Amino acid sequence: MAIRGKGKTKSKAVARPPRRDPVPIPVPFAQRRWVAVTAAFLLGLGVYLFAIWLTNGLRTSDEEQRAAAELTQKQLILQSWQAEVESQIGTLGTLRDPSPPDVGTSLRAALKDLKRGTDTSVTVPDLSATAEAFEGAANDLEDYDLSGEITGQGFEAAEADSILTSRLEYIESFRAFRTATLLVTLAIGTDDEDLRATLIERATESLATADALLGDAHRKFRLSLATVGVVTAAGLQP
């Protein structure tokens, strides 16, 4: 019986696990393209909105500064006009704000005495001086270039109209007071009863017109001052 020759026996191959494919490393979140695009969009939008906010803020600031400067200029113009008006009224009577001024004291006293048929203590020279004062005040307000002062200074059309109408009514009222004063002077100097009665009637009408004009003028004057903050609107009717 043949004996097999001794030799090395083949070792069995050890089974190995299957080789894994390389695992891709994920891109960091911040480096992903859609994230970068979105971030760039949001950044651009933020810059755009900030630019709009900044521009609007600067525009608003400029507008506020212009409005403040305009208001200051309006106040200066009307304060100057106020000083002129009150100076003229001061020569004729007394201020009673917010009520109309009390003017024409001697005129009213003389007219009252004439209506009663009693002698008056008011003299003709007193009345002549009163008439002259009213005419002088009317002329001074007429010479004041108020229209030139307010033109181009930011006054609205309604504001400018009220201011200029007030000026005109002051002038007309002072001249109506002058007319009434002259009529009373004539009534004192005449012995004709019928003529005196007519003069008294005309003087009464002129005085009523003067008072109405003065009331309207002073109301509009005070409202104009209140509109720009020179005086308060307390007690004033629009």
Side-chain angles (χ1 to χ4, degrees):
M1 185 172 176
I3 300 172
R4 289 182 182 178
K6 292 180 180 181
K8 295 180 178 180
T9 60
K10 291 182 180 180
S11 60
K12 292 182 178 181
V14 179
R16 297 179 180 179
R19 182 178 295 178
R20 296 179 180 178
D21 294 333
V23 177
I25 300 174
V27 179
F29 181 80
Q31 296 180 10
R32 296 178 186 179
R33 181 171 180 76
W34 72 269
V35 174
V37 171
T38 303
F41 170 76
L42 293 176
L43 179 62
L45 180 61
V47 171
Y48 172 73
L49 293 176
F50 175 77
I52 292 177
W53 172 81
L54 181 62
T55 301
N56 289 340
L58 293 174
R59 183 182 299 115
T60 300
S61 179
D62 289 343
E63 290 174 354
E64 289 175 349
Q65 290 178 0
R66 283 195 296 270
E70 185 177 273
L71 178 60
T72 299
Q73 184 62 22
K74 287 181 178 180
Q75 290 173 337
L76 291 174
I77 291 170
L78 291 188
Q79 283 171 344
S80 178
W81 173 237
Q82 178 188 19
E84 176 66 19
V85 170
E86 292 182 352
S87 173
Q88 297 303 329
I89 291 174
T91 66
L92 305 172
T94 56
L95 288 165
R96 300 182 303 172
D97 291 329
S99 300
D102 181 15
V103 299
T105 303
S106 60
L107 161 64
R108 297 177 196 278
L111 184 57
K112 184 176 181 180
D113 290 337
L114 285 172
K115 288 180 176 180
R116 289 175 174 175
T118 60
D119 292 336
T120 179
S121 61
V122 181
T123 65
V124 169
D126 288 341
L127 291 173
S128 296
T130 297
E132 186 177 345
F134 277 120
E135 182 64 17
N139 290 340
D140 286 344
L141 293 187
E142 194 169 48
D143 291 341
Y144 192 100
D145 187 18
L146 184 59
S147 178
E149 290 287 332
I150 67 175
T151 299
Q153 299 301 329
F155 287 95
E156 298 292 336
E159 291 177 328
D161 180 68
S162 180
I163 294 167
L164 295 176
T165 300
S166 169
R167 169 180 174 270
L168 180 60
E169 287 175 338
Y170 271 128
I171 294 169
E172 290 179 345
S173 73
F174 292 161
R175 287 186 171 147
F177 278 119
R178 175 181 181 272
T179 298
T181 305
L182 294 176
L183 289 170
V184 168
T185 303
L186 292 174
I188 292 175
T190 185
D191 293 328
D192 188 318
E193 294 296 332
D194 291 337
L195 177 58
R196 177 178 295 172
T198 299
L199 292 171
I200 291 172
E201 182 181 354
R202 296 292 180 269
T204 301
E205 293 172 355
S206 292
L207 181 58
T209 298
D211 281 334
L213 286 168
L214 183 60
D216 285 343
H218 202 65
R219 177 181 56 81
K220 292 172 185 174
F221 168 68
R222 298 289 298 180
L223 284 173
S224 298
L225 297 180
T227 299
V228 298
V230 174
V231 300
T232 64
L236 296 175
Q237 297 296 325

